[in-house]
Amino acid sequence: MRHRRHAILATVTAATLLLAGSATATAQAAPAPAPEGAASLYAPSALVLTVARGQEPLTATVERAVTLSCAPRAEGTHPDPASACKELASVQGRFAELTAGPSNRTCTRQWDPVVVTAHGVWKGEPVEFATTYGNACEMAGSTNGSSVFAF
Protein backbone atom coordinates (compact mmCIF):
# COMPACT_ATOMS: atom_id res chain seq x y z
CA MET A 1 0.00 0.00 0.00
CA ARG A 2 2.85 2.33 0.88
CA HIS A 3 4.54 1.70 -2.49
CA ARG A 4 1.28 2.36 -4.24
CA ARG A 5 0.88 5.77 -2.49
CA HIS A 6 4.44 6.72 -3.48
CA ALA A 7 3.76 5.64 -7.05
CA ILE A 8 0.55 7.70 -7.19
CA LEU A 9 2.28 10.68 -5.59
CA ALA A 10 5.19 10.38 -8.04
CA THR A 11 2.74 10.17 -10.98
CA VAL A 12 0.77 13.21 -9.78
CA THR A 13 4.00 15.18 -9.20
CA ALA A 14 5.34 14.24 -12.63
CA ALA A 15 2.03 15.18 -14.29
CA THR A 16 1.95 18.50 -12.44
CA LEU A 17 5.51 19.31 -13.47
CA LEU A 18 4.78 18.28 -17.05
CA LEU A 19 1.68 20.47 -17.20
CA ALA A 20 3.46 23.41 -15.58
CA GLY A 21 6.40 23.03 -17.97
CA SER A 22 4.17 22.86 -21.04
CA ALA A 23 2.16 25.88 -19.84
CA THR A 24 5.40 27.82 -19.39
CA ALA A 25 6.65 26.69 -22.78
CA THR A 26 3.33 27.70 -24.34
CA ALA A 27 3.46 31.10 -22.65
CA GLN A 28 7.02 31.63 -23.86
CA ALA A 29 6.39 30.34 -27.37
CA ALA A 30 3.27 32.42 -28.02
CA PRO A 31 3.89 36.13 -27.33
CA ALA A 32 0.90 38.29 -26.66
CA PRO A 33 -0.56 39.80 -29.83
CA ALA A 34 -0.15 43.54 -30.46
CA PRO A 35 -3.18 45.69 -29.69
CA GLU A 36 -5.61 45.87 -32.57
CA GLY A 37 -4.58 48.49 -35.11
CA ALA A 38 -1.07 48.92 -33.66
CA ALA A 39 1.69 48.43 -36.21
CA SER A 40 4.55 49.34 -33.88
CA LEU A 41 5.40 50.07 -30.28
CA TYR A 42 7.01 53.35 -31.39
CA ALA A 43 5.21 56.57 -32.24
CA PRO A 44 6.08 57.41 -35.84
CA SER A 45 8.73 60.02 -36.56
CA ALA A 46 8.98 60.44 -40.32
CA LEU A 47 9.82 63.74 -41.97
CA VAL A 48 10.57 65.32 -45.32
CA LEU A 49 13.11 68.14 -45.03
CA THR A 50 13.72 70.64 -47.83
CA VAL A 51 16.00 73.56 -48.70
CA ALA A 52 14.46 75.84 -51.34
CA ARG A 53 15.18 79.15 -53.12
CA GLY A 54 12.55 81.80 -52.63
CA GLN A 55 10.84 83.83 -49.98
CA GLU A 56 7.65 81.84 -49.35
CA PRO A 57 7.57 78.11 -48.54
CA LEU A 58 4.67 77.44 -50.93
CA THR A 59 6.26 79.15 -53.93
CA ALA A 60 9.98 78.52 -53.35
CA THR A 61 11.87 76.23 -55.72
CA VAL A 62 13.07 73.14 -53.90
CA GLU A 63 16.79 72.58 -54.47
CA ARG A 64 17.34 69.69 -52.06
CA ALA A 65 15.04 67.34 -50.19
CA VAL A 66 15.64 64.35 -47.91
CA THR A 67 13.62 61.93 -45.81
CA LEU A 68 14.32 61.31 -42.14
CA SER A 69 12.77 58.63 -39.95
CA CYS A 70 13.77 58.44 -36.28
CA ALA A 71 11.68 55.61 -34.80
CA PRO A 72 12.33 52.80 -34.24
CA ARG A 73 15.78 53.62 -35.69
CA ALA A 74 17.38 56.52 -37.54
CA GLU A 75 17.21 56.09 -41.30
CA GLY A 76 16.26 57.80 -44.54
CA THR A 77 17.98 59.63 -47.37
CA HIS A 78 19.43 62.22 -44.97
CA PRO A 79 23.27 61.97 -45.09
CA ASP A 80 23.54 61.59 -41.28
CA PRO A 81 20.18 60.39 -39.92
CA ALA A 82 21.56 59.37 -36.51
CA SER A 83 22.93 62.86 -35.75
CA ALA A 84 19.83 64.59 -37.10
CA CYS A 85 17.52 62.41 -34.99
CA LYS A 86 19.68 62.95 -31.91
CA GLU A 87 19.53 66.74 -32.39
CA LEU A 88 15.77 66.68 -32.90
CA ALA A 89 15.33 64.54 -29.78
CA SER A 90 17.41 67.03 -27.76
CA VAL A 91 14.87 69.79 -28.58
CA GLN A 92 11.81 67.48 -28.45
CA GLY A 93 11.21 67.97 -32.18
CA ARG A 94 10.89 71.76 -31.94
CA PHE A 95 12.58 72.86 -35.17
CA ALA A 96 12.45 76.54 -34.22
CA GLU A 97 14.97 75.87 -31.45
CA LEU A 98 17.43 74.44 -33.98
CA THR A 99 17.18 77.38 -36.36
CA ALA A 100 16.69 80.33 -34.01
CA GLY A 101 20.29 80.77 -32.89
CA PRO A 102 22.21 83.93 -33.72
CA SER A 103 24.45 83.64 -36.73
CA ASN A 104 28.06 82.89 -35.94
CA ARG A 105 29.13 83.96 -39.43
CA THR A 106 29.79 87.24 -41.12
CA CYS A 107 27.54 87.31 -44.18
CA THR A 108 26.81 89.82 -46.92
CA ARG A 109 23.45 91.55 -46.91
CA GLN A 110 22.64 90.13 -50.34
CA TRP A 111 18.92 89.28 -50.62
CA ASP A 112 18.76 85.77 -52.07
CA PRO A 113 16.19 84.09 -49.79
CA VAL A 114 16.43 80.46 -48.75
CA VAL A 115 13.55 78.56 -47.14
CA VAL A 116 13.96 75.41 -45.02
CA THR A 117 10.92 73.25 -44.33
CA ALA A 118 10.00 70.14 -42.38
CA HIS A 119 6.76 68.22 -42.94
CA GLY A 120 5.58 64.94 -41.48
CA VAL A 121 5.23 63.59 -37.95
CA TRP A 122 7.44 63.69 -34.87
CA LYS A 123 6.61 61.11 -32.18
CA GLY A 124 3.10 60.82 -33.59
CA GLU A 125 2.42 64.58 -33.73
CA PRO A 126 2.06 66.46 -37.05
CA VAL A 127 4.93 68.75 -38.02
CA GLU A 128 4.65 71.78 -40.32
CA PHE A 129 7.73 73.98 -40.06
CA ALA A 130 9.22 76.63 -42.36
CA THR A 131 11.61 79.51 -41.92
CA THR A 132 13.18 81.92 -44.39
CA TYR A 133 16.74 83.26 -44.34
CA GLY A 134 18.09 86.21 -46.31
CA ASN A 135 20.65 83.99 -48.06
CA ALA A 136 22.44 80.63 -47.78
CA CYS A 137 25.20 82.12 -45.60
CA GLU A 138 22.65 83.32 -43.03
CA MET A 139 20.98 79.90 -43.07
CA ALA A 140 24.29 78.11 -42.45
CA GLY A 141 25.19 80.54 -39.67
CA SER A 142 21.81 80.39 -37.94
CA THR A 143 21.72 76.60 -37.75
CA ASN A 144 25.09 76.71 -35.91
CA GLY A 145 26.43 73.41 -37.08
CA SER A 146 23.13 71.54 -36.79
CA SER A 147 23.06 68.47 -38.97
CA VAL A 148 19.27 68.51 -39.46
CA PHE A 149 19.33 70.83 -42.50
CA ALA A 150 22.93 70.00 -43.52
CA PHE A 151 22.27 68.12 -46.76
Side-chain angles (χ1 to χ4, degrees), residues 102-128:
S103 178
N104 61 358
R105 291 186 176 191
T106 302
C107 298
T108 65
R109 303 296 263 161
Q110 174 187 356
W111 182 247
D112 187 14
V114 176
V115 178
V116 295
T117 66
H119 297 280
V121 291
W122 175 258
K123 298 203 177 199
E125 296 296 320
V127 171
E128 295 265 341

Side-chain angles (χ1 to χ4, degrees), residues 40 42-45 69-75:
S40 172
Y42 302 95
S45 292
S69 177
C70 295
R73 64 184 170 276
E75 59 188 358

Side-chain angles (χ1 to χ4, degrees), residues 62-144:
V62 175
E63 291 186 332
R64 300 182 306 275
V66 296
T67 59
L68 179 65
S69 177
C70 295
R73 64 184 170 276
E75 59 188 358
T77 60
H78 192 286
D80 191 357
S83 291
C85 288
K86 184 177 179 181
E87 285 180 37
L88 283 171
S90 73
V91 295
Q92 290 81 39
R94 292 187 295 262
F95 283 86
E97 289 185 26
L98 292 174
T99 60
S103 178
N104 61 358
R105 291 186 176 191
T106 302
C107 298
T108 65
R109 303 296 263 161
Q110 174 187 356
W111 182 247
D112 187 14
V114 176
V115 178
V116 295
T117 66
H119 297 280
V121 291
W122 175 258
K123 298 203 177 199
E125 296 296 320
V127 171
E128 295 265 341
F129 172 79
T131 193
T132 303
Y133 298 98
N135 56 49
C137 179
E138 286 182 14
M139 180 194 81
S142 293
T143 56
N144 288 322

